[in-house]
Amino acid sequence: MSERPYVLLSCAMSVDGYIDDASPERLRLSSPADFDRVDGVRAGCDAILVGAGTVRADDPRLLVRSPVRRERRAARGLPPDLVKVTLTARGDLDPQARFFTTGSAPKLVYAASDAVPGLAARLDGVAEVIDAGDPVELPVLLADLARRGIRRLMVEGGTGVHTRFLTEGLADELHLVIVPFFVGDPLAPRFVHSGVFPQDSRHPMRLAEVTRIGDLTLLRYLLRASDRG
């Protein structure tokens, strides 16, 4: 078995690189057609990961929504829902969040060591809490997922999580959707934070696919050196 799953990052951003605005309401960047495409990508994965900040801010369900895709997963001997994964430094997670209350597949929370005892008690019966070091170590998280049979992991954000996977060289593929407008607010979150990225001007990603989705554009990049050629 591989020592870590294949990691696919997925994000939609404005032309100027923002994934939301600074208003209290969530900015919906994608179109219905793109949401359906994302649902199809999810259906081909074993697990889906978002950071604790995304769980708190967006309260996502992270389910495969298409009944047809759910049936196809079941026909392949897979559960209709993906294993849900999050990571947290502080352990500030609400057991009533939809991350925990929707879907029948396991929910896994990788927490910093100091947060584990209190969080395990709070999430007792709704999720498994795993000590992933202090701070949370992504290689530990990925190795544990591999031991659980997770071969393909979809990562849907947020900013800090995408930055860590990319700067630590732990992403294999990036699906980046560009939407046809600007946000232009320096207080709004961007796709990634500043950092030192393996994919720099000397080691660029390989563009594997460009797809038009109405007025949106999907760019599918391969990140690993063996795939870049």
Side-chain angles (χ1 to χ4, degrees):
M1 180 178 294
S2 172
E3 61 187 29
R4 72 166 179 84
Y6 186 91
V7 176
L8 185 158
L9 272 58
S10 176
C11 186
M13 71 178 192
S14 65
V15 171
D16 51 345
Y18 291 94
I19 60 172
D20 201 352
D21 57 23
S23 70
E25 299 298 323
R26 176 67 175 168
L27 176 65
R28 293 178 70 85
L29 291 163
S30 293
S31 64
D34 186 51
F35 282 126
D36 184 66
R37 177 197 64 81
V38 171
D39 193 63
V41 177
R42 284 183 181 180
C45 295
D46 302 304
I48 186 167
L49 181 150
V50 296
T54 298
V55 174
R56 290 189 293 268
D58 298 346
D59 196 21
R61 294 182 177 89
L62 304 179
L63 305 176
V64 175
R65 299 186 178 186
S66 163
V68 172
R69 293 184 182 118
R70 293 173 67 85
E71 290 172 3
R72 287 174 180 168
R73 283 178 60 86
R76 292 162 49 205
L78 300 173
D81 297 311
L82 279 64
V83 174
K84 296 185 195 179
V85 184
T86 191
L87 61 155
T88 176
R90 305 195 313 267
D92 182 15
L93 288 167
D94 182 355
Q96 295 304 311
R98 292 188 294 188
F99 178 95
F100 301 110
T101 60
T102 61
S104 57
K107 288 83 176 176
L108 306 176
V109 179
Y110 292 87
S113 301
D114 289 347
V116 168
L119 186 60
R122 189 180 318 125
L123 298 181
D124 184 38
V126 299
E128 181 180 352
V129 178
I130 302 102
D131 188 335
D134 197 2
V136 172
E137 300 177 34
L138 291 185
V140 171
L141 179 157
L142 292 173
D144 187 69
L145 289 177
R147 287 191 292 269
R148 296 170 185 267
I150 302 300
R151 295 173 296 175
R152 192 172 180 89
L153 172 67
M154 186 173 184
V155 178
E156 292 196 8
T159 301
V161 169
H162 279 147
T163 303
R164 285 200 60 190
F165 272 95
L166 289 166
T167 57
E168 294 181 32
L170 295 172
D172 299 285
E173 187 172 334
L174 169 62
H175 292 190
L176 189 61
V177 169
I178 312 299
V179 303
F181 57 80
F182 299 84
V183 172
D185 186 341
L187 299 180
R190 303 184 74 96
F191 167 42
V192 291
H193 295 304
S194 298
V196 178
F197 295 87
Q199 296 77 31
D200 58 18
S201 59
R202 295 172 299 169
H203 308 94
M205 302 179 290
R206 182 167 74 84
L207 182 60
E209 178 185 343
V210 180
T211 303
R212 179 175 178 175
I213 309 169
D215 289 330
L216 282 62
T217 303
L218 166 66
L219 305 175
R220 186 171 72 87
Y221 290 103
L222 300 178
L223 281 71
R224 304 294 293 176
S226 59
D227 293 325
R228 294 197 300 265

